[in-house]
Amino acid sequence: MSRERSFFNRRLHSLLGVIPVGFFLVEHLFSNYAATKGAQAFVEQVEWLWGIPFLTVLEIFFIFLPLLYHGVYGLYIALQAKNNVGNFNTFRNWMFTLQRITGVATLIYVVWHVWETRVQVALYDMTAPQLANLTHEILQNPVNLALYIIGLVAAVFHFSNGMWTFLITWGVTVGPRAQRVSSYVWAVVFVLVSYLGISALLAFAQADFMGQMAQH
């Protein structure tokens, strides 16, 4: 691969990791957070999202294809990367290594999650209440719940740490002070977004989750 083509692919990979993949991650977890208010709130949120015009086109061209490119090319980068943790035991080298590990973990998690939810919705033409119940049943299994939490935290870390790198790559945070402040900002984002996601997962896993909808 030529140096120019490699540079373009890496910049495109970096950009797609933020727009739209990163935006979709945050939006998805924020939408799922509605589950903490009960199944009915989650169903209403899903029905609102499904009511967006040209949703299928938007999902294909602004979510799935960018996600596919970012995931596949990111896997290539991870396999090509030379991790320096053994030679230079510094914080940023550990972040470099964790970025690659969480990238692979996130790709596996996303494929699994999409198969268990979005693909099933399409195959069986599920309603929003049926999706809520399906998610509830998946997360009632303690092993699934644990794996979902691990996958979610990996995805949020990959996004947050990737944003730190993105801002440097695109010349936004140039100096050491700006990069240090950026580290604190994205650490806070990591904690807050992880909280949103884990709270939703725990809400889905509650034994009476679907019963809460029946009471409305």
Side-chain angles (χ1 to χ4, degrees):
M1 184 180 294
S2 68
R3 181 173 299 180
E4 292 80 10
R5 187 170 181 79
S6 177
F7 176 81
F8 172 79
N9 286 337
R10 284 177 178 268
R11 282 301 178 98
L12 181 60
H13 171 264
S14 172
L15 184 62
L16 291 179
V18 178
I19 307 169
V21 174
F23 173 79
F24 168 70
L25 171 68
V26 175
E27 181 279 325
H28 185 59
L29 296 183
F30 183 79
S31 294
N32 285 352
Y33 186 72
T36 61
K37 300 175 184 177
Q40 184 62 39
F42 173 74
V43 166
E44 291 173 359
Q45 179 68 22
V46 170
E47 288 176 340
W48 179 82
L49 288 172
W50 287 359
I52 295 175
F54 309 109
L55 180 62
T56 301
V57 174
L58 292 174
E59 284 184 329
I60 292 173
F61 291 99
F62 292 94
I63 297 176
F64 292 128
L65 289 180
L67 183 59
L68 180 65
Y69 178 88
H70 185 80
V72 172
Y73 191 72
L75 183 61
Y76 168 78
I77 292 175
L79 295 175
Q80 294 293 316
K82 293 186 172 82
N83 298 329
N84 293 322
V85 172
N87 298 325
F88 305 100
N89 190 11
T90 65
F91 175 74
R92 271 301 148 195
N93 277 330
W94 276 109
M95 293 298 100
F96 176 90
T97 301
L98 286 174
Q99 185 70 3
R100 270 58 190 170
I101 293 173
T102 56
V104 175
T106 299
L107 180 60
I108 296 171
Y109 169 65
V110 168
V111 170
W112 178 39
H113 176 53
V114 169
W115 169 256
E116 284 203 316
T117 55
R118 191 66 184 89
V119 172
Q120 302 307 310
V121 168
L123 286 177
Y124 299 104
D125 194 24
M126 288 184 174
T127 63
Q130 288 174 325
L131 172 60
N133 188 59
L134 173 64
T135 308
H136 167 63
E137 290 179 348
I138 291 171
L139 295 175
Q140 281 262 279
N141 184 319
V143 175
N144 285 345
L145 178 60
L147 291 175
Y148 261 68
I149 291 175
I150 292 170
L152 184 146
V153 171
V156 177
F157 175 89
H158 190 75
F159 165 69
S160 302
N161 190 57
M163 281 300 306
W164 183 86
T165 305
F166 172 85
L167 293 176
I168 295 175
T169 301
W170 291 83
V172 178
T173 52
V174 180
R177 183 175 182 277
Q179 292 172 15
R180 185 168 61 253
V181 171
S182 181
S183 293
Y184 297 143
V185 170
W186 291 108
V188 171
V189 170
F190 168 70
V191 172
L192 292 178
V193 177
S194 294
Y195 171 79
L196 287 178
I198 294 173
S199 296
L201 294 178
L202 295 177
F204 280 117
Q206 290 179 6
D208 64 340
F209 179 71
M210 292 307 296
Q212 294 172 5
M213 187 173 72
Q215 295 171 11
H216 284 70

